[in-house]
Structures are given as structure tokens and as C-alpha cells.
Amino acid sequence: MGIRVGIDLGTTYSAVAYVNEQSGKSCLIPNSYGEVLTPSVLCFKPDGQILFGQDAKNEQEAGDENTASFFKRSMGVELFGLNMHGKRYNATDLSAILLSKLKAEAESGLGERIEEAVITVPAYFGHREREATLEAGKRAGLHVQTIINEPTAAALAYGLNDTAVGNTIMIYDLGGGTFDVTIARIEQDCVTVLGTNGNHALGGKDWDDRIAEYLMDELLERYDVDIYDDWEARSTLRVLAEKVKKQLSQRQKINVPMNFGGVRCSLEFSQEIFKEISASLMLITKDVIDDLMSSIGITWHQIDGVILVGGSTRMTMVRDYVREMSGKEPLAGVHPDEAVALGAAIRANMEQTAVRHSLPAAKTKPVLSLKGAKSIRDVTAHALGTIAVSLEGTSYINSTIVSKNTLVPASGTKTYELVTGKRPREMDVYVLIGEYLRPLDNDIVHRYVISGITPTKSNTTRIAVNYQYDANGVVKVSASQDGRRGDLPVRIEKVPEDMNWTDENPADHFVKDISIMLAIDVSGSMAGAPLDMAKKAVNDFIRNISVTAPQTRIGLIGFAERAKLIAPLSDDYDALMYIVNHIRIGDYGALTNEQPLTSAYNALADCDDAKYIVVLTDGYWFDGADDRGLSAAERCKIGGIEIIALGFGAADENYLQQISSMKDLSSLTDLDNLRSEFSRIAQVIGSTSSKINKIIT
Ligand code: AMP
């Protein structure tokens, strides 16, 4: 049987810990250098070999450009990618490689196989970053039991101290690339997180950058050496800046030896200057803390102590700030770089203890007597909401259903008003993670479609939407309609790539119902394969619409020498498909001497739905039908009827464009693509129907 480890996958350094069976204590596993911290750096060699840790960091310092570091900052960012010898790696790929190396090294260090792991992430990580971390773990061949928040792991490690019980503590976690602050209560058997807040884009690297910028400015001012555009010199300077920063954690003042642009010199750098140039960064941490304390209603008086976690808390200014704010020395007894992995290892073995306790002792290995807390109660690091129309009806907003910092498992319900129209309706519930009012400023993680909503006489109904958020960060959505029993059916659909409509005015999207006239060319040239394919395409279209916009009515017109209504507007989709399948060539003459737009206009004119005409033709329209078509198209456009014209065979693309109003969807195609073109049209028409609810409070 293998062991369970905790992995701190850090921005700059990573660490792996396990629980010693004899002592029940969590311990770090040294790497091949005998160090417990391994730099989170990879170096890709031309022969395909991938170096990691200190070896990769050495190559980076020697100027090898094929190195990757700080990729944790880009977890879940789709656009991020690094090219290494012609191959592209995103942050998940890089993390997977690093994790597999850490796993292999820890296994050989311990002489045991790693069975399961708990990986830590900054509390502030959103859904995408968490998913990416889980995926990286899986690809590294790890069975990831769960991911937990870094500060929570640190609190677990601190809970090992006997004096900690009953304390409310703050975990100030400033790493290489992220900042998190968490307030937790340590009890005998349980650590309860009261609240958390953070900034995903702030870390030690920003302090390095401030030093590097300062040194660059000094070089220019004093020695007229300009390295602003010199990539190599700047990267050397950044490495130097980090060293300067670390040295300054021990001393008040240092002399920095510089050798750039042919100039050798020494620049003085002091604690005061450092504090001054990075004052705005410290202020950001202060704002994050103030926000958290006010949101959970806690003051500094109620905090028994502050644990410093993350390498960057070694900076003197951080300790000074914490001392000033809390009026106490930061808590001792937890190592800033080690606490997170140690806590993760405790978490990895919690269930094992629980399970073993419940089994008869004789049948199992000796019970692992884990020191410290045996359970965690964590909070939602972000609010969970959905897209709704604001009360005034003027914009789409993020309507919060579960507030940030709610104890997990968390749940919440909110009621929304929905315009039902005349036919059964569906409602979209987009799950948003984040606190921003504008929907696009949050993570849009799921789209749930609620169906089976019954139309009402008043045209509106109330839908109660319920969110359940479990310890693994999974959101479950359910909904019920006012006055009706039981839950409505819910299905998951892909979140559309283009969500920019949420920035538009909802009034432009309020489509009560949709009416579509399909006008199919049934002239002689359509006989055989063209008509067969047209029937298939139209059937697909009807099926598609019935799913994406079930409040749609469809009618059918056939045209050749005459134009005739084959089926009036109806939402009996099965009957429509039956009629489509029985269309025959010859019933309306052989040539295309008549256009369908006048008949279609007449069929649509009286209804106040959103109106569309979709024309399919395979040739020219003769005997003035083309001119009559143009003027009928004009009337349609004035009457608010959208026209989409598809052609194939001998149809004239120019003419199709002239009669159409939705020109992107109108084109000349071929038989093979007819079905996909029709599906595309169905999707676009379907998506214009607003299924978004109106918020009521
Ligand atoms: P972590 O992400 O927790 O591994 O933290 C790494 C960050 O801590 C990096 O930005 C390091 O430069 C920084 N760091 C490590 N040691 C020190 C030190 N002695 N003084 C200041 N910063 C440090």
C-alpha cells in the first residue's frame, strides 16, 4: 500500500510532505539535493530532457531561455503558452510535468509509492485555476484526493501546537506570486475558516520587480547605462533583485555589485528605500485585509495572533506591518515555507484515520494517530451567482445566490421573475463565480438550462433557483416554479464562447416568442438529391429549434411557378416534419417564376413575435420574380422581419445577399453543407431568444 502526501505546488518553490506512521507527525520529504523546498522551475533541453528544481533554476540563472517559472500565475489562463523547442506548453502542462517530477523524487526519497495526494492552491483561486490544478495532478499520475486552500493547510499545521486551541488566528500568506489572507478558529478537533480574501496577482515577484526597476533607473541616472530593452540584462537583473531582497531580510543596508553595459559599480540599497518603493504593494495587502475583516465583522482585537506563510513574509516590512496592525509579534512555531505542505499532508491522512477508526482494529494496519485537528470547515472563497436582468431592466447583472465566505457545504436560493410567453419555456442559469456586478468580470463556469416551465395567464412566473456547493467545489443547481410541486428538469449545456451580449441592453433581447417561415424552392431542378437533402436539413432545423427555442412557431411555403403556404405557423414540430417529408416536386409548377417573400410576409404580418424568413433556393428567379422579391424583401425589413437566404446550384449569391437582412448567415453553399448551414441558422435564431430571468428581490 502506498502513502498519502500533501503537495504545496508553489509559484516559486514546491514541497512534499507525508505523515510519519510512528509519530503521527507531518514531515517534509527532502529532494535529491537534501532540500525540502524545490524551485518550481523547468528547463527544456534540445534533446527532449526536462530538468526541474534547482537544476533548472541553475540553467535559468545561466541565461537559458528554454526555462519556465512562475507558471502557477497563469493556471487556467487559456491564452498563456510557452514555446519550448517548437512545442507549446500551457500552465497545466508545465504544472503536470513539475508534479510528476516531484512525485518521482519523493517516491525515491522515501522508498515508498505515493498512492494519493492533496494539492494546495491559493484560497483566491477561482474555478478554472482549481480545475487546471486537478487536471495537472491527474496528468502527473497522481490520484488527487482533493485540493485545499493554502492558508487552511497552514492553519492545520499551526493547530499541531497545543497552545493553539481556542484561538482565532489570521494567516497572512504572501508567496512568490499570490497573496491570501484567511481568518480561522482552531478547535481541539476542527479548524473552522471564518473568511478569506486575496489577490491572485500579487507576490514576491512584484517586490523583485520594484527593486529591479529601481536599480535600472539608478544605472541610467548615475552611469548612463540603459538596459530597458536588453532582455538578457533585465533577466539577470531580476535574479539579482531577488537576491538583494533576500539579503535585506537580514540586514538594514547592502551594497549591490553591478556589472551591466560595460560598467562595474556598486549601488547602495537600504531598507528605507525598499520600503518606500514598495509602499503601494504593502497597501494592497492592507486593503485585502481590511475588506475581509469588515466583511466578516472582526477587528484586530479579536485576533489572537498572525501566522506568516509564504517566502515573502520574511521581508522585514511585512513583519513590521503585522506587528503594527495586530499589536503583537507574529506567531512562532510555523515555518513560512513549510507549513502549507505539512498541513496538506495532515489533510491527506484525515480520512484514513477516520476510516480506520471505524473498522475493527484486527483487520487493519495499526491506526494512524494523527496529531492536530481531524476535520476542516472551510468557506467559499468567492460568491456564487447567476446572470439576471437588473430590477430596472436596463442591464444584465451578476445576482449573488451564495455569498462569499459562507461555510462549505453552502447553499442558497433566490427567486426570479420570468416572462413565460404563450408556450412552454426554458430558462438559462449561468453559474458565475465572483463578486463583480458585471457578469463578464466573473468566471462563467456552467450553463444550466431549466425546462418544463409552464406558461401562465399573466405571462410571468416566479422561478426559485437553488445552488448547493459542496466541499469539492462542485455546484449543483435545482429550480422550482411558483405554485407547482417538485423540481423542474435541469440539463447542462456548454457555455457559449461569445457572452458579450451580457454587456448589451436586455430590452434588445426580450423576444417573447419566435415565428419563422421556411420558404423552400420546389421547382423542377430540385428533384432528386437536392430535395432529399433539403428535407433532411429542414428536419434538422426544426429539431434544433425545438431544443434551443421551444417557444418558436414554424410555417412552410413552397415556391416555383406559384408560391403556396404548405403549413401555417405551428409549434407542432412532429406534424411539421411529417409535412416536410411529403413535399413533392411538380405541385407548384416546374420553373422558378414566383418568389416566396410576399406570401411569407402575409403569413407573418399579424403576429408580434420576433419574425424570420429562411429562404432556400437552387436557381435564378425569372419573369420579374426577382424584382418582386426585392420589393417584398424591403417591405419585410421595414416590418421588422429578418430574412436569411441560402442558395446552392445555380442560385445567384449577389441576389441572395440583396434580399437578406442577416447577411452573415446568408450564402451560397453546396448540398453537402446544407444541413450544417441550417443548423447554424437554428442556433443563431435560438440564441437570440432571451432565456434570462428578471431579478426580483
Ligand atoms: P513561496 O511562493 O511561498 O515559495 O514564496 C516564494 C517567494 O518568497 C519568492 O518571491 C521569494 O523571493 C520570497 N522569499 C524567499 N525567501 C525570502 C527572504 N529571505 N526574504 C524575502 N523574500 C523571500
Side-chain angles (χ1 to χ4, degrees):
M1 207 176 101
I3 55 161
R4 297 162 184 226
V5 295
I7 303 179
D8 170 9
L9 184 63
T11 311
T12 41
Y13 290 94
S14 295
V16 186
Y18 76 112
V19 172
N20 181 293
E21 280 215 5
Q22 270 79 46
S23 64
K25 270 191 173 170
S26 177
C27 316
L28 289 154
I29 307 170
N31 61 23
S32 58
Y33 279 86
E35 306 278 347
V36 291
L37 299 180
T38 303
S40 303
V41 186
L42 295 172
C43 175
F44 294 77
K45 294 305 217 182
D47 62 4
Q49 199 195 351
I50 305 175
L51 304 178
F52 81 110
Q54 194 55 50
D55 294 336
K57 195 167 183 183
N58 292 344
E59 297 289 319
Q60 185 180 42
E61 283 173 10
D64 190 331
E65 287 180 28
N66 287 300
T67 54
S69 54
F70 293 111
F71 39 87
K72 179 174 170 181
R73 279 185 165 189
S74 306
M75 280 308 253
V77 178
E78 269 167 37
L79 293 176
F80 172 85
L82 293 179
N83 269 321
M84 300 288 172
H85 305 294
K87 207 172 157 205
R88 198 174 160 81
Y89 298 86
N90 63 22
T92 312
D93 303 327
L94 297 168
S95 303
I97 297 171
L98 180 61
L99 280 170
S100 68
K101 302 269 184 195
L102 290 170
K103 172 178 182 271
E105 199 160 63
E107 283 177 335
S108 78
L110 275 182
E112 290 216 55
R113 197 175 53 80
I114 292 176
E115 187 182 71
E116 286 182 11
V118 166
I119 303 177
T120 59
V121 294
Y124 204 63
F125 257 18
H127 177 81
R128 270 178 243 277
E129 296 101 317
R130 285 169 196 266
E131 289 271 291
T133 306
L134 279 173
E135 172 65 24
K138 212 163 87 183
R139 279 202 236 154
L142 286 165
H143 178 259
V144 185
Q145 240 178 306
T146 183
I147 46 176
I148 65 166
N149 294 335
E150 287 162 11
T152 311
L156 278 173
Y158 179 68
L160 294 174
N161 298 338
D162 295 332
T163 50
V165 173
N167 281 359
T168 299
I169 54 161
M170 175 187 284
I171 301 111
Y172 182 109
D173 179 0
L174 186 60
T178 52
F179 172 62
D180 277 320
V181 61
T182 295
I183 297 175
R185 208 165 156 74
I186 314 274
E187 304 291 1
Q188 186 71 46
D189 282 330
C190 181
V191 170
T192 304
V193 177
L194 305 178
T196 187
N197 198 14
N199 185 324
H200 186 179
L202 181 76
K205 187 174 178 291
D206 297 293
W207 272 262
D208 301 348
D209 287 346
R210 290 286 162 98
I211 298 175
E213 274 160 34
Y214 174 83
L215 294 175
M216 259 192 301
D217 290 348
E218 288 290 291
L219 267 182
L220 185 65
E221 203 170 292
R222 292 178 188 221
Y223 300 97
D224 206 23
V225 174
D226 179 353
I227 60 162
Y228 289 91
D229 295 324
D230 182 343
W231 187 89
E232 213 175 308
R234 285 182 68 143
S235 92
T236 313
L237 188 60
R238 231 178 276 128
V239 174
L240 178 66
E242 192 191 0
K243 284 192 178 137
V244 168
K245 176 183 74 176
K246 287 183 176 171
Q247 285 174 18
L248 219 55
S249 297
Q250 318 275 328
R251 320 227 306 256
Q252 276 303 316
K253 203 189 306 179
I254 55 168
N255 287 313
V256 186
M258 310 269 281
N259 183 3
F260 291 98
V263 171
R264 278 174 184 274
C265 58
S266 170
L267 292 173
E268 194 182 277
F269 192 67
S270 68
Q271 202 61 257
E272 287 84 66
I273 296 173
F274 189 26
K275 231 173 165 165
E276 194 183 312
I277 60 174
S278 38
S280 60
L281 300 175
M282 281 309 300
L283 264 184
I284 300 177
T285 74
K286 181 177 183 315
D287 286 347
V288 171
I289 293 174
D290 288 349
D291 275 358
L292 173 64
M293 293 182 104
S294 70
S295 73
I296 60 170
I298 271 195
T299 62
W300 278 105
H301 294 296
Q302 291 159 277
I303 305 279
D304 295 304
V306 181
I307 304 181
L308 298 179
V309 184
S312 299
T313 56
R314 289 210 182 79
M315 289 188 292
T316 314
M317 67 180 88
V318 171
R319 301 184 148 264
D320 289 349
Y321 167 76
V322 167
R323 199 179 299 113
E324 237 169 72
M325 296 309 292
S326 66
K328 302 179 189 99
E329 278 300 317
L331 290 170
V334 275
H335 193 293
D337 294 322
E338 300 175 359
V340 171
L342 292 173
I346 297 173
R347 174 65 189 84
N349 290 279
M350 266 181 189
E351 273 143 40
Q352 193 186 19
T353 11
V355 171
R356 289 203 191 162
H357 276 306
S358 65
L359 291 173
K363 288 191 189 155
T364 60
K365 282 174 81 176
V367 170
L368 183 66
S369 60
L370 188 68
K371 281 204 76 181
K374 312 291 183 295
S375 68
I376 315 173
R377 300 185 73 201
D378 215 332
V379 292
T380 53
H382 296 279
L384 298 166
T386 191
I387 302 175
V389 175
S390 65
L391 212 51
E392 314 78 52
T394 47
S395 59
Y396 290 107
I397 56 160
N398 170 16
S399 155
T400 298
I401 295 180
V402 176
S403 310
K404 176 178 168 153
N405 289 328
T406 308
L407 265 181
V408 176
S411 74
T413 302
K414 205 158 195 175
T415 304
Y416 297 93
E417 188 171 281
L418 185 78
V419 179
T420 55
K422 296 187 263 317
R423 285 172 283 281
R425 282 218 56 174
E426 296 194 330
M427 181 174 120
D428 277 337
V429 174
Y430 288 94
V431 178
L432 303 187
I433 296 192
E435 295 77 44
Y436 299 101
L437 194 63
R438 178 176 172 255
L440 290 186
D441 289 336
N442 303 281
D443 262 357
I444 306 177
V445 294
H446 298 294
R447 177 188 175 196
Y448 288 85
V449 182
I450 316 285
S451 57
I453 300 168
T454 318
T456 61
K457 282 208 183 86
S458 64
N459 250 11
T460 61
T461 188
R462 288 157 70 109
I463 307 287
V465 176
N466 173 264
Y467 279 11
Q468 302 276 347
Y469 184 82
D470 72 16
N472 288 323
V474 176
V475 193
K476 275 201 195 115
V477 174
S478 61
S480 58
Q481 184 173 4
D482 212 15
R484 290 177 200 274
R485 278 169 164 231
D487 283 349
L488 293 162
V490 177
R491 66 173 190 274
I492 296 187
E493 285 203 6
K494 208 171 159 267
V495 177
E497 262 165 41
D498 186 356
M499 291 292 289
N500 288 328
W501 55 267
T502 56
D503 277 338
E504 294 165 10
N505 187 344
D508 297 340
H509 302 156
F510 273 142
V511 169
K512 311 120 262 181
D513 293 299
I514 300 174
S515 286
I516 306 170
M517 286 307 300
L518 295 173
I520 311 293
D521 187 338
V522 284
S523 60
S525 55
M526 286 287 290
L531 186 67
D532 288 345
M533 195 50 91
K535 285 178 180 175
K536 284 191 181 123
V538 170
N539 279 333
D540 284 353
F541 179 84
I542 296 172
R543 256 183 240 116
N544 230 313
I545 283 280
S546 67
V547 175
T548 55
Q551 75 282 22
T552 302
R553 293 183 303 164
I554 302 174
L556 207 60
I557 286 175
F559 68 100
E561 290 172 21
R562 295 177 292 282
K564 233 185 108 186
L565 190 67
I566 306 178
L569 288 169
S570 156
D571 58 1
D572 185 344
Y573 303 123
D574 290 338
L576 270 168
M577 286 195 259
Y578 179 85
I579 295 171
V580 168
N581 290 339
H582 288 83
I583 295 176
R584 281 189 322 197
I585 300 292
D587 285 357
Y588 312 93
L591 302 173
T592 327
N593 296 8
E594 191 47 280
Q595 50 80 27
L597 297 177
T598 310
S599 305
Y601 176 87
N602 291 337
L604 290 169
D606 285 342
C607 69
D608 62 355
D609 296 353
K611 294 175 278 200
Y612 297 88
I613 299 171
V614 182
V615 180
L616 176 68
T617 184
D618 77 332
Y620 282 96
W621 299 352
F622 299 106
D623 296 339
D626 50 348
D627 285 341
R628 290 197 299 281
L630 277 180
S631 47
E634 214 41 48
R635 255 173 84 201
C636 289
K637 287 175 201 168
I638 292 166
I641 301 174
E642 300 279 6
I643 301 175
I644 298 155
L646 269 188
F648 63 92
D652 176 2
E653 186 165 19
N654 254 337
Y655 182 74
L656 297 176
Q657 284 288 314
Q658 279 180 52
I659 58 170
S660 66
S661 62
M662 296 178 77
K663 299 192 191 295
D664 288 353
L665 290 173
S666 304
S667 64
L668 200 59
T669 179
D670 50 46
L671 276 188
D672 290 339
N673 288 315
L674 205 54
R675 292 177 79 170
S676 60
E677 288 294 328
F678 261 91
S679 299
R680 198 158 73 93
I681 296 169
Q683 237 149 41
V684 173
I685 294 181
S687 68
T688 60
S689 91
S690 171
K691 290 196 268 178
I692 294 295
N693 37 63
K694 188 169 172 148
I695 183 169
I696 54 167
T697 43

